C-alpha cells in the first residue's frame, strides 16, 4: 500500500474517530499455579490506578469489562502466592488477546521485611542471562517491523550484522548458527526468509508476532533439554486461539501484508470451546517496492503459521503447530545501472528456497499435581536451490549450483516431577536426519552428489530447588549427545555436558541478587559440512568432533523498585574443536555472514576460540507514561586459524555495543518511541583482488588479512509514532516510522566490479576496480496499519 493511501487512511481516522469512537474494551484471561498448572480460584486481577478488577472463577478465568481504552499495568494476586504484574497492557475496543498469569508459590514471609515483587524473575533452570518480551513490546518496537530478530538486538550482549541485507542474531560474540529456536517446544532450524543454509541470517523474519504470548532469550545457563546450542536459546511461547468467538487482524506495512484469524472449533452451545485455532498468511511486496526504486534484486516471499489446540480435560492437552515459507530472490532486469548496482546485480546469487515445520505435542498433567509429561513429534524440511551465473539476468554461464534438501524428524520426551522443594526433569531426544545435496562448483573444481541418512540422539536430566526461604536458587543438569554418522559419534562420554547455576538474594528484601553459572555445551556440525564429499565420493568431514563451548558467567542485580532494575554481568566462553576450513585456513566462526551455502567444504576440528565481556543494563518497565532500556556491552571475540595458533578477531568482534530504547505514552492513545544503536568497528576479510579479477563475478576473500581492516562504526536512530483508534467492533493501530532519522552513513565494505567503458561494456584486458565504499545515509520513512476485528 502506497504512502499516499496510508496518509489518507490516517487523516480520515483522525478526523472521524470522535464520531465513531468506542471508548471501552474488555480483557479476559486465566490465573494458574506456575508449577502445577492448576487454576487459582478467587485470585484477584486489578488494573493499577483504577477500581476495575475481577476475581477468577472455578476455571481460573477472569473478565474485566468497560475498561477505558488506554494502556495499563495489570496485577494478579492470590493468598500464598507472589503477586505478578503484566506491564504495558494496551486495552482496545477489539483485538485484546487473553492475559494469562502463572503465579509462583510464596514459601514464606519474614516479619518486618517488605519483599518487592521482581518483574524480572528468572526461571529455576536458568537463574541468569534470561530476558523476556511481551507481544506488545515486540509490535511497538521502533525500527523492528514486528521482527523478533531485530527486537532482541536491544538486549545487552546481542548484536546483528552491520552491513548487507541480513538479519543475523549474534549473542556474546558467537556465530549466528550457535543459536537454537523453539516454537512451543518444537525446534525450528531458522527463523528467517532466504536463510543461509548451514548458518542463519536472512533479510526478514518468517515468524508472525500475532501468535506470541511471549518470547524469552537465554544467553547462558541453558536448560539440559536444549541440544546443539552454544550461544543462545530463543523460545517462542505461542498463545492458543480465542475459545469464545472469531477474531483477527490485518497488518499492512511498507514491505508486507499479513492476515491472522483465530477462534473456536466445534463450540456447540458451550461458552468456551475445547478446540481452538489460530492461523496466518503473510505476503511480501518488497519485490514491487525494489523494482520501483531501482534496486538490482527482488526478494519475493510468502509465509504461513498455524496452531490448533485441544483440551481433552483439565489434565490433557494436545496441540498441532506449524510454520513455513516460500522464497524467491530474483534479479531485476534494469537497463540503466550505475557501477555499484551493476556489481550487485552480477554478484548476488539466485535463490529459491522453501521451508516447512510441523509438530504435534501432548502435555499430560498428573492428577495428584506431582508433575507432568510432555511428548513432541515434529518434522522440519528446508529445500535450498542456490545458483551463481556469469549473467544473472538471463541465468546463463552457470559456475556454481547447489541443490539440496535437509529433513529432520524429532521425537522429544520430557518428564517433570515435583519432589518437596525440588523440580526434577529428565528425558530423551531422537532425531532422524536426512540430507541430500547436488553440487557443481566449477570455480573450485568440485562436483558431488551426497545422500545421507543417520540418527542423532540425546539424554538429559536437570534438578532445581530453592533454599533459605527462597533466597537461594540452585540448578544442576547433565546432557549427552550422539550420532550414527561421525566416526566417534556414539562415544557419549565425549559430549557429557554438565552445568550448574545459582542465584542468591543478598538482602532479605530481595533487592540485591548475585548469580552465576558454569557449563559445558556441544554442537554437531551442520549438514552442509557433514554431507560434503570430495570428487572421489569420500566424506572427509566424518572424523570431525562436536564443537565444545565452556561458559562461565557471574552477575549482580539491584531492584530499584517493583518496575526498574540495574544489573551487571560478566561472561567468558572458551571454544574447542572448532572447525577450520582447509581451503581458506580460517575458522568457520568467521564465515556464514553472507548469502552462500555455509560449511560445504573440507574442515578439521582444530580450532579454538574465546569470547569475553561485560554487560550493563538499566531497565524500566511501563510506569503509566514511560518505559526504557539502556544496554551497554564491552566484549572481545576471537578465534584461531589453521596456519598458526594465534587468536584473530572474529568478524562479529565489534568491541562495543550500545542500545538505548524508550517510549512515552501521551493521552488519547498517542505514543512516541525511539531506539538508538551504536556498534563498534567490526573487522572483515578484504577482497582478494587478484583472485577475484581472475574469476569474476565470483568474489574471493583474503582471510589472512582478517583483522587488519575494520568497518566504520554503526550509529543509527529510529523513531516511531503510534496512534490507536477504537471503534465499535474494530480497532485500528496506525504508525509512522523513520529509520536512520539522523541520516548517518552506514558502514559497508568496499565493493568491486570490472572496469567498463561509457557504454557499459567490459574493457579488455579485464581489470577489477572499486565501485563503492560507503552507504549514502538515507532516511527511510514508512507507514503501517493494523486493523483488529
Amino acid at each position: 500500500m502506497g504512502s499516499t493511501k496510508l496518509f489518507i487512511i490516517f487523516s480520515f481516522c483522525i478526523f472521524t474517530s470522535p464520531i465513531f469512537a468506542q471508548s471501552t474494551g474488555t480483557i479476559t484471561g486465566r490465573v494458574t499455579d506456575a508449577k502445577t498448572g492448576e487454576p487459582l480460584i478467587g485470585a484477584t486481577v486489578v488494573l493499577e490506578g483504577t477500581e476495575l478488577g475481577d476475581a477468577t472463577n472455578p476455571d481460573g478465568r477472569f473478565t474485566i469489562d468497560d475498561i477505558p481504552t488506554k494502556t495499563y499495568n495489570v496485577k494478579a494476586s492470590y493468598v500464598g502466592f507472589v503477586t505478578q504484574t503484566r506491564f504495558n497492557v494496551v486495552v482496545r475496543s477489539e483485538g485484546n488477546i487473553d492475559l494469562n498469569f502463572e503465579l509462583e508459590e510464596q514459601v514464606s514471609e519474614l516479619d518486618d521485611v517488605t519483599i518487592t515483587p521482581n518483574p524480572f524473575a528468572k526461571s529455576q533452570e536458568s537463574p541468569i542471562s534470561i530476558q523476556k518480551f511481551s507481544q506488545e513490546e515486540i509490535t511497538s518496537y521502533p525500527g523492528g517491523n514486528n521482527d523478533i530478530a531485530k527486537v532482541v538486538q536491544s538486549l545487552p550482549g546481542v548484536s546483528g550484522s552491520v552491513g548487507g541485507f541480513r538479519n543475523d542474531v549474534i549473542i556474546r560474540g558467537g556465530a549466528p548458527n550457535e543459536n537454537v529456536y523453539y516454537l512451543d517446544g518444537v525446534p525450528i532450524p531458522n527463523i528467517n526468509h532466504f536463510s543461509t543454509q548451514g548458518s542463519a541470517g536472512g533479510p526478514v523474519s518468517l515468524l508472525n508476532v500475532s501468535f506470541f504470548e511471549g518470547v524469552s532469550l537465554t544467553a547462558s545457563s541453558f536448560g539440559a533439554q536444549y541440544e546443539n546450542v552454544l550461544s543462545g536459546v530463543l523460545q517462542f511461547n505461542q498463545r492458543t486461539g480465542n475459545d469464545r468467538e472469531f477474531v483477527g487482524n490485518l497488518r499492512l506495512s511498507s514491505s508486507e501484508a499479513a492476515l491472522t484469524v483465530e477462534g473456536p472449533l466445534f463450540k456447540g452451545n458451550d461458552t468456551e470451546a475445547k478446540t481452538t485455532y489460530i492461523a496466518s498468511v503473510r505476503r511480501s511486496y518488497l519485490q514491487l517496492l525494489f523494482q520501483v526504486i531501482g534496486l538490482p534484486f527482488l526478494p519475493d516471499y510468502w509465509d504461513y503459521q498455524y496452531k490448533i489446540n485441544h483440551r481433552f480435560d483439565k489434565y490433557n492437552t494436545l496441540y498441532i503447530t506449524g510454520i513455513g515459507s516460500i522464497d524467491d530472490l530474483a534479479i531485476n532486469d534494469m537497463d540503466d545501472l550505475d557501477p555499484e548496482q551493476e556489481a550487485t546485480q552480477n554478484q548476488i546469487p539466485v535463490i529459491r528456497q522453501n521451508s516447512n515445520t510441523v509438530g504435534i505435542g501432548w502435555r499430560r498433567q498428573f492428577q495428584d499435581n506431582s508433575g507432568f509429561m510432555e511428548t513432541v513429534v515434529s518434522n522440519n524440511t528446508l529445500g535450498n536451490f542456490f545458483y551463481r551465473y556469469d549473467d544473472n539476468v538471463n541465468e546463463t554461464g552457470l559456475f556454481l549450483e547447489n541443490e539440496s534438501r535437509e529433513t529432520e524428524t524429532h521425537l522429544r520426551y520430557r518428564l517433570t516431577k515435583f519432589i518437596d522443594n525440588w523440580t526434577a526433569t529428565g528425558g530423551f531426544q531422537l532425531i532422524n536426519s536426512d540430507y541430500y545435496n547436488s553440487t557443481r562448483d566449477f570455480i573450485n573444481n568440485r562436483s558431488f552428489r551426497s545422500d545421507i541418512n543417520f540418527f542423532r540422539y540425546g539424554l538429559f536430566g536437570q534438578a532445581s530447588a530453592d533454599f533459605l526461604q527462597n533466597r537461594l536458587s540452585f540448578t544442576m543438569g547433565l546432557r549427552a549427545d550422539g550420532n550414527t554418522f561421525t566416526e566417534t559419534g556414539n562415544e557419549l562420554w565425549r559430549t557429557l555436558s554438565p552445568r550448574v547455576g545459582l542465584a542468591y538474594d543478598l538482602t532479605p528484601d530481595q533487592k540485591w541478587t548475585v548469580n552465576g553459572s558454569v557449563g559445558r555445551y556441544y554442537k554437531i556440525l551442520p549438514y552442509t559440512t557433514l554431507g560434503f564429499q570430495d570428487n572421489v565420493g569420500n566424506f572427509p568431514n566424518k572424523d570431525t568432533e562436536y564443537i565444545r563451548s565452556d561458559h562461565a558467567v557471574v552477575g549482580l542485580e539491584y531492584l530499584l523498585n517493583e518496575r526498574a532494575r540495574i544489573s551487571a554481568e560478566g561472561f567468558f566462553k572458551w571454544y574447542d574443536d572448532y572447525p577450520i576450513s582447509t581451503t581458506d585456513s580460517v575458522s568457520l566462526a568467521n564465515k556464514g555472514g553472507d548469502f552462500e551455502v555455509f560449511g560445504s567444504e573440507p574442515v578439521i576440528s582444530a580450532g579454538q576460540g574465546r569470547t569475553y565481556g561485560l554487560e550493563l543494563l538499566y531497565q524500566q518497565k511501563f510506569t503509566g507514561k514511560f518505559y526504557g532500556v539502556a544496554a551497554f556491552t564491552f566484549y572481545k571475540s576471537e578465534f584461531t586459524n589453521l596456519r598458526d595458533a594465534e587468536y584473530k578477531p572474529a568478524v562479529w568482534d565489534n568491541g562495543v555495543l550500545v542500545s538505548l530504547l524508550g517510549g512515552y505514552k501521551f493521552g488519547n492513545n498517542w505514543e512516541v518511541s525511539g531506539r538508538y544503536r551504536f556498534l563498534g568497528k567490526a573487522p572483515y576479510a578484504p577482497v582478494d583482488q587478484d583472485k577475484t579479477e581472475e574469476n569474476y563475478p565470483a568474489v574471493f576473500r583474503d582471510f589472512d588479512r582478517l583483522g587488519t581492516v575494520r568497518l566504520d562504526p554503526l550509529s543509527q536512530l529510529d523513531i516511531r509514532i503510534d496512534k490507536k483508534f477504537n471503534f465499535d467492533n474494530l480497532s485500528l493501530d496506525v504508525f509512522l516510522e523513520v529509520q536512520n532519522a539522523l541520516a548517518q552513513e552506514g558502514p559497508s565494505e568496499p565493493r568491486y566490479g570490472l572496469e567498463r567503458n561509457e557504454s557499459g561494456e567490459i574493457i579488455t584486458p579485464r581489470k577489477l576496480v572499486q565501485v563503492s565504499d560507503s552507504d549514502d545515509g538515507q532516511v527511510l520513512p514508512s507507514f503501517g496499519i493494523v486493523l483488529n476485528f
Side-chain angles (χ1 to χ4, degrees), residues 168 181 190 261 281 284 296 348 462 469 533 635 647 658 662 743 760-761 766 789:
D168 293 299
Y181 312 98
N190 200 286
V261 294
V281 63
S284 162
I348 197 167
Q462 185 130 0
Q469 296 178 320
Q533 282 185 304
Y635 76 103
Y647 283 95
V658 178
E761 298 170 335
R766 302 198 322 174
F789 53 86

Side-chain angles (χ1 to χ4, degrees), residues 177-192:
N177 69 338
E178 295 179 10
N179 309 319
V180 295
Y181 312 98
Y182 284 84
L183 191 69
D184 280 347
V186 175
I188 316 172
N190 200 286
I191 60 172
N192 290 302

Side-chain angles (χ1 to χ4, degrees), residues 227 427-431 456-460 479-482 492:
E227 60 104 23
F428 67 88
Q429 185 169 23
L430 180 63
I431 305 170
R456 294 161 47 198
Y457 51 93
L459 303 170
F460 63 87
R479 183 180 179 96
D481 290 279
L492 291 181

